[in-house]
């Protein structure tokens, strides 16, 4: 089968595999820096939470592409660690808004800043238009892969 794949597709698969491997390693590092007992797969969850400030569990589950049950278990673990809390949603008392605690946000930001520094150093020599195009293409790829 591999010999029948067009070379650009094989190249994308190879580069995507390398990116995902590095991404998992970074997620492990950041998770451990945020809290030693934090599951590494929660980095994406924390990043979405950081970007949105406060978000409903159902909306977060949809954005992350995970089931509400799975996400609820992850949120429970984050609550136990003191990193997030739930508040009743003012527009729907049956729903909850998930928000970082002050400590959770401080820890996440501190752990993430070192990794963002690495990203800035990696892309420092790229022209701004290339970085913009790279972000646009990654966004298009992620939007298409659902």
């Amino acid at each position: 089968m591999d010999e029948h794949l067009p070379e650009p597709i094989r190249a994308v698969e190879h580069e995507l595999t390398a990116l995902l491997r590095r991404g998992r390693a970074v997620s492990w590092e950041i998770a451990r820096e945020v809290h030693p007992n934090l599951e590494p797969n929660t980095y994406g969850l924390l990043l979405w939470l950081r970007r949105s400030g406060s978000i409903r569990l159902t909306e977060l589950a949809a954005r992350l592409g995970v089931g509400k049950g799975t996400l609820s278990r992850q949120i429970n673990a984050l609550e136990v660690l003191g990193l997030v809390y739930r508040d009743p949603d003012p527009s729907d008392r049956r729903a909850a808004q998930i928000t970082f605690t002050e400590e959770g946000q401080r820890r996440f930001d501190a752990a993430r800043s070192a990794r963002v520094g690495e990203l800035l150093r990696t892309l420092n020599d790229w022209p701004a238009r290339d970085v913009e195009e790279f972000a646009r293409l990654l966004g298009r790829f992620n939007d298409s892969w659902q």
Side-chain angles (χ1 to χ4, degrees):
M1 170 164 171
D2 192 54
E3 62 276 354
H4 300 297
L5 289 174
E7 181 53 34
I9 297 299
R10 287 192 300 207
V12 167
E13 178 190 31
H14 174 80
E15 296 303 332
L16 186 57
T17 299
L19 179 65
L20 292 172
R21 187 181 66 244
R22 283 190 184 102
R24 279 191 301 272
V26 166
S27 291
W28 273 91
E29 290 173 21
I30 292 175
R32 295 296 177 233
E33 289 176 33
V34 172
H35 195 284
N37 297 330
L38 189 62
E39 290 291 321
N41 60 352
T42 58
Y43 174 70
L45 183 161
L46 294 173
L47 184 58
W48 269 107
L49 188 56
R50 182 65 176 101
R51 293 177 101 184
S52 55
S54 184
I55 190 168
R56 288 175 70 166
L57 185 107
T58 52
E59 184 181 343
L60 186 57
R63 288 180 187 247
L64 293 171
V66 298
K68 289 189 291 184
T70 298
L71 183 59
S72 187
R73 284 188 293 279
Q74 290 176 332
I75 295 296
N76 288 340
L78 294 171
E79 281 183 296
V80 168
L81 296 174
L83 301 174
V84 302
Y85 63 93
R86 296 179 203 228
D87 269 336
D89 186 330
S91 63
D92 181 355
R93 290 296 202 195
R94 297 168 296 169
Q97 291 277 102
I98 311 301
T99 307
F100 265 115
T101 62
E102 253 184 61
E103 178 68 8
Q105 185 169 318
R106 186 193 64 71
R107 286 172 169 255
F108 179 77
D109 289 350
R112 184 175 168 229
S113 69
R115 298 312 165 273
V116 170
E118 291 172 15
L119 184 60
L120 288 170
R121 283 187 293 283
T122 300
L123 297 174
N124 187 48
D125 293 336
W126 289 33
R129 68 183 177 281
D130 287 356
V131 175
E132 291 167 4
E133 181 69 357
F134 184 53
R136 186 188 71 75
L137 289 171
L138 280 174
R140 181 176 168 196
F141 179 80
N142 284 326
D143 288 346
S144 298
W145 196 348
Q146 296 187 20

